[in-house]
Amino acid sequence: EDQVTQSPEALRLQEGESSSLNCSYTVSGLRGLFWYRQDPGKGPEFLFTLYSAGEEKEKERLKATLTKKESFLHITAPKPEDSATYLCAAPLGSSNTGKLIFGQGTTLQVKP
Amino acid sequence: NAGVTQTPKFQVLKTGQSMTLQCAQDMNHEYMSWYRQDPGMGLRLIHYSVGAGITDQGEVPNGYNVSRSTTEDFPLRLLSAAPSQTSVYFCASRGYRGTEAFFGQGTRLTVV
């Protein structure tokens, strides 16, 4: 069964305290792993797509990496404005239908 | 470009009432989807469409109908609202050649 699981469910950090969020997946024929950021009351906002093991992508204080079984979102020296829920997702199905399966999300709180 | 527009933003229904959640995109995307988001459950796929006139069921389709008469619009109909349908609903679109899905701002629905 296709599954995407995120951990931890919630994470509290002090400003400047680096950490990582985990996304493990069991999806047949993975055709990409997506990371999204979601602010309260808003829709998910795209961050990264990773396609192959060993791939890395960076944006400001965020770096996403991918292995054959999991993806990590590394947050370096976070600021309070990085507080949000981070979602990972993978495309479902053998054809390109636009369907996504999501993890439950990690809610990050960064305290000043 | 407005991206993906959802209306209404908030709605309260009584059990048994019907209503339509509207979703429109102006990016000429082929793929459109509806998700619901519940605490601890993440985003779950309700219905999706790969083009005008073509729709299919997702993970949690019961109690919902969709149609796709144009590329731009993908309305979600609740046939007879139930308290279990209290949730936040998100519409998403994605282009055939694109990678990321774009999400609307969501509709918060309460069924009493």
Side-chain angles (χ1 to χ4, degrees), chain A residues 38-60:
Chain A
Q38 187 176 24
D39 293 300
K42 301 285 183 65
E45 181 182 340
F46 172 77
L47 291 173
F48 304 110
T49 306
L50 301 166
Y51 287 105
S52 56
E55 188 176 359
E56 299 183 352
K57 289 196 176 171
E58 289 188 64
K59 180 180 180 179
E60 295 181 359

Side-chain angles (χ1 to χ4, degrees), chain A residues 14-87:
Chain A
Q14 289 296 129
E15 184 172 4
E17 179 187 2
S18 301
S19 188
S20 296
L21 283 54
N22 177 264
C23 172
S24 62
Y25 61 88
T26 53
V27 176
S28 309
L30 186 72
R31 291 176 290 106
L33 190 291
F34 303 129
W35 282 98
Y36 286 85
R37 170 187 171 132
Q38 187 176 24
D39 293 300
K42 301 285 183 65
E45 181 182 340
F46 172 77
L47 291 173
F48 304 110
T49 306
L50 301 166
Y51 287 105
S52 56
E55 188 176 359
E56 299 183 352
K57 289 196 176 171
E58 289 188 64
K59 180 180 180 179
E60 295 181 359
R61 294 174 293 282
L62 301 177
K63 183 168 79 172
T65 62
L66 183 67
T67 72
K68 288 187 177 180
K69 293 184 178 180
E70 55 194 349
S71 178
F72 294 93
L73 186 65
H74 307 279
I75 303 176
T76 302
K79 297 182 178 182
E81 53 261 43
D82 295 320
S83 299
T85 295
Y86 292 85
L87 302 166

Side-chain angles (χ1 to χ4, degrees), chain B residues 17-94:
Chain B
Q17 285 185 316
S18 62
M19 80 160 293
T20 299
L21 308 185
Q22 301 293 342
C23 175
Q25 53 95 4
D26 61 0
M27 298 172 282
N28 203 31
H29 283 169
E30 292 82 0
Y31 306 133
M32 296 187 75
S33 308
W34 276 101
Y35 295 85
R36 60 178 288 172
Q37 187 173 37
D38 303 291
M41 302 289 289
L43 283 145
R44 291 181 293 167
L45 182 66
I46 304 171
H47 285 285
Y48 68 99
S49 170
V50 299
I54 306 170
T55 64
D56 206 345
Q57 297 181 349
E59 180 186 357
V60 287
N62 292 342
Y64 307 96
N65 270 359
V66 291
S67 60
R68 183 110 178 260
S69 57
T70 67
T71 299
E72 294 78 21
D73 300 301
F74 191 42
L76 178 73
R77 298 182 186 84
L78 278 70
L79 309 172
S80 177
S84 60
Q85 293 178 305
T86 294
S87 187
V88 182
Y89 291 85
F90 289 100
C91 178
S93 76
R94 180 182 164 203

